[in-house]
């Protein structure tokens, strides 16, 4: 039956293509790549006992994506070890229905998990819906405030904590670092997907660079537009975009493009220029061959947010409402590994203090 | 056994053989991965709760339409791999049209549905025209059109989107309440369980699929062209016209795929709109043997397995990929077992014919002797 053989081959190709595309969603590298494939997080023998069961719903990629999800997982692991929680994890599959995200949360809820943490803004609508169905349980969502500050002005869902980051503040600092280090007075920004979240990175970066050098030229490009999220996982696209900027005269490029960032580093290495990493200290996670081009990294400590949330849970209080992790609590920051910014840390820390004191207000939209 | 009984036994043995093989292969994969085989099957074969039944019917509705769209092409030997792009671009256009609400109430809904079908038909029609006039393989062109649809929808979504400050979800305008298709309540609860009202339209689409393909001149022409182009030409069918018509029909059905979601639950097209439904549809059409009822069974089976993915992860602790592996295994075993059974049937027929000939010859010899 030739027709069926041909079809089966096509199907395989289609599924493979989907799988590859899916790997990229929502990548934000993390300094603690865990190779585990999900499942139970077993307690260590001497861990304290606790009857709290934490349910963790990851975005596409799940634990082991060396990225955003992994950073959240690191926070969970730390809390599990310290407080003796029981924990279970579930992850999204690419192209799943909205009902599947909701069911993931409900399955946790019905199995007695409390609190339930949703990782990533894809859960925005499902957390808002399911949290209302289970008013006695506590939910947390990372990178989204729809439940805590509804757009239509209605009352917030009372049992949801929204953990968000002041990415613009960390980006301001690396923008300042770029401007201080740029000899050409020309820098670049590569965003993964043009969603408001990534525009926050761009806005802060531009503000920081201009604070140092008002005449600086800043190239900006985004790899893909939603609903195409492949820009978070396509190093080839990242490389092409950065190559263009280096050839155009930029000498430092900042990427907020998750897995595509590897291509930006390659381009920098080939152009003999510098690049800035994102989310975790990429000096430690990037390929050693491109380590020396990484000027600094904008740190977004998802693990800190998860850990602190669970610390409060362990103490018996379930946080609710919006919780912003900014410079003042080290929710964001910049890295110094590699030593390339050692001579300007005084300037950067000066800006940091000004932001914390409110003397500088960093814009959140470009 | 009479020939009719033989045919029935053969027909039933194929799907049973397929499921049995899929069961064994999946168990082997589970055992190899060190997962608890018994617990996994216990969970997979457990009776779902009412709310899960609702989800299964909802997802199956969407998958069914996708399967039908692919099957229209398959019946004419056309491989419409582009259902994925067709449904996304159609759902986007329908979302914009319905969101703008140029017409009141259900007129708006009807307009949106018609627009979706038209857009799907046109998008698939491009591949049909290329095939008919330039001989471009529809496999290649539809795959390319999928990529173009992705980029085009991304661009247009930015233009048409309404942004809520601070939200990361980019979506078209919300469809007004009086243009939504009301859900059907299947359990008064608690919890109250609804299914998409669109399920009625999906059933209707399935009936029309059967009727048009099996009971009309057009359907006969389409199937005839699929079986043998030369025979079709000889009987006066314009193959080029049929190619374009079949692709457009397939695309029009593909245009419906995203609508149950759009008009029944999401009410807007945004960055979290479900993707990849077109590829699932190809598998389901294959599973359902391009038959309206078979596709429904396939869609329900896939939706049922998808629904088990969360409990499998959370309650049993196995990777959700096991669901994808099971689905893939079922598709493969179905293809193989039907082929095995078909060959077995052919051999039985040949043996029967040989025996009959032998008998005749013996009889002749007996006559000669006499």
């Amino acid at each position: 039956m030739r027709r069926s053989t041909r079809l089966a081959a096509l199907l395989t190709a289609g599924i493979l293509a989907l799988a590859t595309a899916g790997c990229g969603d929502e990548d934000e590298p993390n300094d603690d790549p865990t190779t585990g494939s999900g499942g139970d997080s077993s307690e260590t023998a001497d861990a304290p006992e606790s009857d709290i069961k934490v349910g963790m719903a990851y975005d596409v990629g799940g634990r082991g994506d060396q990225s955003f999800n992994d950073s959240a997982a690191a926070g969970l692991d730390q809390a599990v070890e310290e407080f003796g929680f029981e924990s279970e994890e579930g992850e999204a599959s690419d192209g799943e229905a909205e009902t599947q995200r909701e069911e993931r949360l409900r399955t946790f809820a019905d199995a007695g998990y409390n609190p339930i943490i949703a990782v990533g803004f894809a859960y925005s609508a499902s957390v808002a819906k399911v949290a209302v169905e289970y008013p006695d349980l506590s939910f947390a969502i990372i990178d989204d405030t729809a439940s805590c500050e509804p757009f239509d002005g209605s009352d917030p869902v009372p049992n949801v904590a929204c953990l968000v980051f002041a990415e613009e503040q960390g980006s301001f600092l690396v923008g300042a670092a770029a401007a201080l280090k740029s000899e050409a007075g020309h820098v670049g920004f590569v965003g993964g997907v043009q969603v408001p979240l990534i525009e926050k990175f761009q806005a802060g970066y531009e503000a920081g660079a201009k604070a140092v050098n008002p005449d600086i030229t800043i190239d900006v490009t985004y790899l893909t537009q939603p609903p195409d999220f492949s820009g978070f996982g396509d190093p080839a696209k990242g490389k092409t975009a950065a190559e263009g900027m280096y050839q155009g005269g930029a000498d430092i490029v900042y990427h907020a493009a998750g897995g595509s960032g590897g291509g930006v580093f390659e381009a920098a290495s080939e152009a003999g220029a510098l690049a800035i990493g994102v989310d975790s200290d990429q000096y430690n996670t990037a390929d050693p061959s491109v380590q020396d081009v990484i000027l600094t990294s904008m740190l977004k400590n998802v693990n800190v947010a998860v850990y602190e949330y669970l610390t409060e849970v362990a103490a018996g209080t379930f946080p609710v409402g919006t919780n912003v992790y900014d410079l003042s609590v080290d929710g964001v920051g910049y890295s110094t590994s590699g030593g390339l910014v050692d001579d300007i840390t005084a300037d950067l820390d000066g800006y940091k203090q000004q932001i914390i004191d409110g003397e500088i207000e960093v814009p959140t939209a470009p | 056994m009479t020939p009719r009984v033989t045919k029935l036994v053969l027909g039933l043995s194929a799907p049973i053989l397929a499921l049995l093989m899929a069961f064994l292969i999946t168990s082997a994969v589970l055992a190899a991965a060190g997962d608890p085989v018994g617990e996994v099957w216990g969970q997979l074969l457990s009776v779902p709760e009412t709310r899960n039944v609702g989800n299964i019917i909802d997802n199956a509705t969407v998958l069914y339409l996708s399967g039908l769209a692919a099957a229209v092409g398959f019946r004419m030997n056309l491989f419409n791999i582009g259902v994925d792009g067709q449904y996304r671009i159609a759902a986007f256009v329908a979302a914009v049209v319905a969101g703008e609400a140029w017409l009141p109430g259900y007129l708006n809904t009807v307009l949106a549905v018609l627009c979706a079908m038209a857009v799907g038909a046109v998008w698939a029609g491009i591949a049909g025209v290329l095939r008919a006039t330039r001989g471009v393989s529809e496999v290649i062109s539809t795959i390319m059109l999928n990529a173009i649809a992705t980029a085009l929808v991304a661009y247009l979504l930015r233009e048409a989107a309404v942004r809520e400050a601070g939200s990361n979800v980019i979506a078209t305008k919300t469809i007004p309440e009086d243009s939504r298709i009301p859900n059907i309540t299947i359990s008064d609860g608690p919890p109250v369980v609804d299914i998409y009202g669109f399920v009625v339209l999906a059933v209707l689409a399935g009936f029309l699929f059967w009727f048009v393909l099996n009971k009309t001149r057009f359907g006969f022409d389409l199937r005839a062209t699929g079986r043998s182009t030369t025979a079709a030409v000889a009987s006066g069918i314009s193959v080029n016209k049929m190619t374009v018509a079949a692709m457009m029909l397939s695309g029009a059905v593909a245009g419906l795929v995203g609508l149950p979601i759009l008009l029944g639950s999401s009410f807007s097209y945004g960055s979290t709109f479900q993707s990849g439904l077109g590829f699932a549809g190809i598998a389901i059409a294959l599973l359902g043997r391009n038959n309206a009822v078979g596709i429904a069974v396939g869609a329900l089976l896939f939706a049922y397995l998808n629904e088990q993915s969360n409990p499998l992860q959370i309650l049993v602790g196995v990777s959700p990929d096991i669901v994808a592996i099971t689905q893939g295994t079922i598709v493969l075993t179905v293809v193989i077992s039907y082929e095995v059974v078909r060959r077995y049937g052919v051999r039985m027929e040949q043996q029967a014919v040989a025996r009959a000939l032998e008998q005749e010859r013996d009889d002749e010899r007996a006559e000669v002797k006499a």
Side-chain angles (χ1 to χ4, degrees), chain A residues 23-56:
Chain A
C23 291
D25 280 26
E26 193 63 21
D27 289 273
E28 300 188 20
N30 159 56
D31 54 342
D32 183 14
T34 319
T35 41
S37 55
D40 295 60
S41 300
S42 52
E43 294 171 34
T44 46
D46 57 345
E49 287 297 313
S50 164
D51 53 4
I52 290 177
K53 291 161 75 180
V54 183
M56 192 92 159

Side-chain angles (χ1 to χ4, degrees), chain A residues 3 91 104 194 197 225, chain B residues 51 74 158 168 310 313:
Chain A
R3 208 168 70 139
E91 72 176 73
R104 188 162 304 121
Q194 194 163 6
L197 177 68
Q225 302 288 334
Chain B
R51 89 168 183 244
F74 290 160
R158 281 201 84 71
N168 278 300
N310 280 313
Q313 273 187 93

Side-chain angles (χ1 to χ4, degrees), chain B residues 136-220:
Chain B
V136 178
S137 161
E138 77 284 359
V139 175
I140 308 294
S141 57
T142 49
I143 288 175
M144 293 303 161
L145 282 166
N146 278 347
I148 296 171
T150 304
L152 190 63
V153 170
Y155 170 76
L156 291 175
L157 182 57
R158 281 201 84 71
E159 299 297 308
V162 260
R163 298 285 201 94
E164 311 271 12
S167 169
N168 278 300
V169 179
I170 295 170
T172 56
K173 266 187 211 166
T174 307
I175 298 171
E177 256 169 63
D178 59 356
S179 300
R180 298 172 183 177
I181 293 184
N183 290 336
I184 302 167
T185 308
I186 57 168
S187 163
D188 290 326
V192 180
V193 177
D194 290 340
I195 58 169
Y196 292 145
F198 213 93
V199 75
V200 177
L201 292 176
V203 171
L204 187 67
F207 173 77
L208 285 176
F209 171 86
W210 169 81
F211 184 79
V212 169
L213 283 182
N214 295 305
K215 299 288 165 198
T216 64
R217 165 84 194 270
F218 173 79
F220 176 80

Side-chain angles (χ1 to χ4, degrees), chain A residues 1 3-4 6-7 88 90-91 95-97 100 103-104 106 110 121 143 151 194 196-197 225-227, chain B residues 51-52 55 74 77 79 154 158 163-165 167-168 170 274-275 286 290 306-307 310 313-314 335 339:
Chain A
M1 213 159 141
R3 208 168 70 139
S4 305
R6 194 172 155 202
L7 249 184
E88 190 55 75
E91 72 176 73
E96 67 182 3
Q100 277 177 290
E103 268 314 301
R104 188 162 304 121
R106 286 194 196 107
D110 288 344
F121 63 75
D143 268 358
F151 307 119
Q194 194 163 6
L197 177 68
Q225 302 288 334
Chain B
R51 89 168 183 244
N52 300 97
N55 289 340
F74 290 160
N77 233 351
F79 296 88
R158 281 201 84 71
R163 298 285 201 94
E164 311 271 12
S167 169
N168 278 300
I170 295 170
Q274 199 177 354
S275 62
L286 197 55
N290 298 331
N306 283 341
E307 189 67 16
N310 280 313
Q313 273 187 93
I314 293 163
V335 171
E339 180 63 8

Side-chain angles (χ1 to χ4, degrees), chain A residues 66-297:
Chain A
Q66 304 208 356
S67 162
F68 182 65
N69 290 305
D70 250 356
S71 188
L76 174 68
D77 290 346
Q78 192 185 349
V80 163
E81 193 164 314
E82 209 160 301
F83 309 119
F85 296 153
E86 202 181 304
S87 77
E88 190 55 75
E89 306 172 350
E91 72 176 73
S93 53
D94 196 31
E96 67 182 3
E98 183 65 29
T99 54
Q100 277 177 290
R101 282 188 281 272
E102 291 166 8
E103 268 314 301
R104 188 162 304 121
L105 302 176
R106 286 194 196 107
T107 310
F108 276 127
D110 288 344
Y113 289 89
N114 185 28
I116 297 162
I117 304 174
V119 182
F121 63 75
Y123 287 100
S124 180
S126 33
V127 166
K129 186 170 173 188
V130 176
V132 173
E133 295 170 15
Y134 296 89
D136 300 334
L137 304 183
S138 293
F139 293 80
I141 179 164
I142 295 169
D143 268 358
D144 187 78
T145 58
S147 294
C148 306
E149 297 162 25
F151 307 119
D152 55 7
S154 55
D155 290 335
V157 188
N159 52 335
V160 177
C162 300
L163 315 178
V164 292
F165 295 82
E167 292 94 350
E168 73 281 2
Q169 296 186 353
S171 298
F172 183 98
L173 296 184
V174 298
L180 287 166
K181 283 286 180 181
S182 173
E183 286 163 15
H186 189 166
V187 297
F189 172 83
V190 175
V193 181
Q194 194 163 6
V195 287
L197 177 68
I198 304 299
E199 286 178 335
K200 260 165 100 180
F201 290 76
Q202 181 203 340
Y205 181 69
E206 288 179 335
K210 290 203 168 116
V212 171
N213 175 3
D215 301 323
I216 197 164
T217 311
I218 306 167
D219 297 334
V220 173
T221 192
Y222 284 88
L223 301 179
T224 59
Q225 302 288 334
D228 178 4
F229 280 84
S230 65
F232 283 132
D234 192 337
K237 280 200 185 95
K239 188 173 177 183
T240 313
E243 267 171 354
M245 292 180 176
Y246 290 125
Q247 280 161 11
D251 54 1
I252 298 173
V253 172
Y254 171 38
H255 87 84
S260 306
V264 174
F265 296 147
E266 269 181 49
S269 176
E270 285 168 17
L274 294 171
I276 298 173
V278 78
D279 289 341
S280 60
D281 188 350
Q282 293 206 284
Y283 185 86
N284 297 325
T285 56
D287 192 81
S289 66
V290 296
Q291 231 174 15
D292 55 342
V293 305
I294 299 174
L295 176 67
T296 176
S297 297

Side-chain angles (χ1 to χ4, degrees), chain A residues 285-342:
Chain A
T285 56
D287 192 81
S289 66
V290 296
Q291 231 174 15
D292 55 342
V293 305
I294 299 174
L295 176 67
T296 176
S297 297
M298 198 292 276
L299 304 174
K300 172 175 169 178
N301 297 316
V302 178
N303 53 340
V304 171
V306 171
Y307 174 74
E308 287 195 352
Y309 173 81
L310 290 174
T311 309
E312 285 193 52
V313 169
T317 51
F318 287 86
V320 292
T322 306
N323 219 335
V324 181
Y325 289 84
D326 58 11
L327 278 177
S328 60
V329 295
D330 283 325
V332 292
Y334 69 96
S335 68
T336 54
S337 312
L340 289 175
V341 289
D342 284 355

